[in-house]
Amino acid sequence: GFGQSGGRGNPNFFEPKITDKSVYTDKLLEDAKAFSSTAIVVISRTGHESGDLTPDYLKITDTEKELLTYVGNNYEKVVVLINACNTMVLEPLDNIKGIDAVLVVGATGTHGAAAIPYLLYGDTSPSGHFADTYAYELESNVNYDYITNLGKYTNASEYLGDLARESDAYMDFVESIYVGYKWYETADKEGLWNDVNNEFGKGYDGVVQYPFGYGLSYTTFTYDNFKITHDDKYINVSLDIKNIGNFDGSEIIQVYVGKENSNIYRPIKELKGFEKLFIKKGLKKTMNIAIDIDDIKAYKEETDSFALEDGIYKIYIAKNTNDIIYEQEIKLNGEIFEKHLKPTALKRKEI
C-alpha cells in the first residue's frame, strides 16, 4: 500500500519502487505469487483540516503506476483499494492493463476496514455511490487556477496578531453555485467540452471519469413502471426495480430537477432526492421518492424571499448525474421572476 509521511505541501511517499531489489527481492516477489494469484493494492491518501492538498498529492504517482503495472502483468486478478479522504485523479486505472476491480473505501476509521473482506469475498455486495465528481484532470474544475495560485493577505497581523503567518492565504470563490457536479453538468450543457476528443471519449466522457452519484454492484437491476405526479406540496416519483443478477444487493436511485429556461441563475440540474432499496436476487420492489416543493424554490430578489418560479421543470430519474434512466416534464404553478443577467458556467471559467 501507499501513504503519506509528513504534513502539508508536497507529499513525501515512503513506498519503495517495485524495482528496488533491496526491498522487493526476487524471493519475496516469487513467494507472493505462490501465496495467491490475486493481488490487492491499497492506495492511500490522508486528509486534514487547516491545510490544502497539492494537485500532485491527489494523483497516482509513477511509483504506484509501476507497481500496478507489475501486478497487472503477474497476477490473474488485481483489485485496487482507494483509501482516501479526498477525490483523486484515477485516470491511470483506465489505462493499466490487468486491473480487474477498484473499490473505493474512503477513510475507514477504527472499524470500517473490517467490512472490506466481506465485500472482497462476495459475502455482501457494494452499494455505495460517489458524493463527488471524479475528473480525468484536476484542471477541468472551474476553480483549479485559484486553488493553485492562492492570494496572500498583506494585513493578516491586523486581525490575527501574533497568530498571523506569512503563508496566510485566500482563495477567490469563483465557482459561485457551480460546485462539483453542478459545474460539470452545466458546463457540458453549455458546450464547454464540445471539442474534447481523447483516448477516454468525446465531450463530457473525455472529461469526467466517474460522475457524481456513480457506483457499481455485484448484481444487475432493471427499471420500469415509472410514475411522476405532483400536487401543491410534493413531486412524487415511483418506479419498479428488479434484481436480475446472482447476488442480493441494494440499489440507489437519484432524482434531479432542472429548469432550462429559467429567468434566474440555476445549474442545469440539481439533486433533490434519493433512496436506497435492498432487493434479494430475482425479486422486484417499488421505490417511492417524495420531493418537497419547498426544496426547489429559489431566491427572488424582488421580494427578498424564496419562491417557486412558474414554468416547466424537468424531473430526471437517474443512476448518477449523467446516467438518466427516465425523464419527464411537469408544469408547476408559481410566481413570475424578473429576468436577471445570468453568469453562465462558461463565464465562470473565464473569470
Side-chain angles (χ1 to χ4, degrees):
F2 289 85
Q4 177 200 22
S5 175
R8 338 168 19 161
N10 293 324
N12 177 20
F13 295 96
F14 52 75
E15 192 75 14
K17 290 180 174 291
I18 188 65
T19 54
D20 186 346
K21 293 300 182 181
S22 67
V23 178
Y24 292 109
T25 64
D26 290 339
K27 184 178 187 307
L28 185 150
L29 295 176
E30 290 302 318
D31 287 348
K33 286 194 289 184
F35 178 77
S36 176
S37 60
T38 299
I40 299 175
V41 178
V42 181
I43 295 179
S44 296
R45 298 291 189 275
T46 61
H48 48 86
E49 298 178 1
S50 72
D52 296 312
L53 304 179
T54 63
D56 286 342
Y57 182 63
L58 296 174
K59 298 178 181 179
I60 294 178
T61 67
D62 289 341
T63 300
E64 290 167 332
K65 293 176 189 176
E66 291 172 6
L67 176 60
L68 291 169
T69 300
Y70 170 82
V71 296
N73 290 331
N74 287 274
Y75 286 81
E76 293 181 16
K77 299 290 183 183
V78 175
V79 178
V80 180
L81 303 184
I82 304 297
N83 169 219
C85 303
N86 299 82
T87 304
M88 293 182 60
V89 177
L90 301 179
E91 167 267 318
L93 302 183
D94 279 5
N95 287 328
I96 297 176
K97 294 181 179 180
I99 296 176
D100 297 285
V102 179
L103 184 65
V104 179
V105 300
T108 56
T110 57
H111 297 286
I116 296 174
Y118 293 96
L119 295 165
L120 295 180
Y121 279 100
D123 294 335
T124 190
S125 178
S127 60
H129 288 243
F130 281 136
D132 295 290
T133 301
Y134 281 65
Y136 284 112
E137 295 180 343
L138 293 174
E139 290 82 353
S140 66
N141 200 304
V142 62
N143 59 12
Y144 177 81
D145 291 337
Y146 297 86
I147 291 175
T148 54
N149 295 287
L150 298 177
K152 298 293 184 180
Y153 287 110
T154 59
N155 60 342
S157 59
E158 295 180 24
Y159 301 95
L160 300 177
D162 294 338
L163 297 176
R165 301 173 298 180
E166 290 184 5
S167 61
D168 285 327
Y170 65 87
M171 182 177 70
D172 291 314
F173 185 58
V174 297
E175 59 264 58
S176 183
I177 62 171
Y178 293 115
V179 177
Y181 76 88
K182 297 175 185 179
W183 155 251
Y184 284 98
E185 300 302 316
T186 307
D188 179 50
K189 179 68 176 180
E190 294 182 3
L192 182 61
W193 295 303
N194 284 351
D195 295 333
V196 173
N197 185 2
N198 56 33
E199 59 186 310
F200 306 112
K202 295 181 179 180
Y204 181 96
D205 292 337
V207 175
V208 175
Q209 185 175 16
Y210 303 118
F212 174 93
Y214 179 90
L216 299 181
S217 169
Y218 291 150
T219 193
T220 304
F221 299 97
T222 59
Y223 318 91
D224 61 12
N225 197 25
F226 301 97
K227 294 180 181 178
I228 299 176
T229 61
H230 68 91
D231 54 31
D232 292 338
K233 293 185 177 181
Y234 294 98
I235 299 170
N236 298 296
V237 175
S238 70
L239 68 154
D240 291 339
I241 306 175
K242 185 175 183 180
N243 183 345
I244 62 171
N246 297 320
F247 291 83
D248 298 341
S250 295
E251 176 63 312
I252 296 176
I253 292 296
Q254 301 145 47
V255 178
Y256 296 83
V257 178
K259 193 177 191 305
E260 293 187 23
N261 297 314
S262 175
N263 283 339
I264 59 172
Y265 192 20
R266 290 181 185 267
I268 194 64
K269 65 169 78 86
E270 296 177 272
L271 178 68
K272 294 301 179 182
F274 62 92
E275 192 65 54
K276 182 177 182 178
L277 198 60
F278 177 78
I279 307 174
K280 288 185 173 292
K281 61 182 179 181
L283 298 185
K284 177 190 288 189
K285 287 186 178 181
T286 298
M287 177 180 285
N288 297 291
I289 304 173
I291 308 298
D292 195 320
I293 294 292
D294 285 343
D295 291 339
I296 61 174
K297 290 181 177 180
Y299 179 70
K300 190 174 184 181
E301 291 188 17
E302 305 92 274
T303 59
D304 191 25
S305 63
F306 282 84
L308 178 66
E309 185 181 13
D310 188 82
I312 302 297
Y313 289 78
K314 276 190 176 182
I315 312 300
Y316 304 91
I317 302 176
K319 298 174 68 175
N320 62 63
T321 190
N322 202 248
D323 188 355
I324 310 299
I325 56 178
Y326 182 79
E327 64 181 76
Q328 179 179 317
E329 291 186 347
I330 63 172
K331 171 67 168 68
L332 295 179
N333 297 319
E335 301 180 16
I336 303 299
F337 282 51
E338 291 183 11
K339 194 173 184 65
H340 293 280
L341 181 64
K342 295 184 291 183
T344 66
L346 292 179
K347 186 63 177 177
R348 290 289 103 194
K349 194 65 173 174
E350 294 169 0
I351 290 178

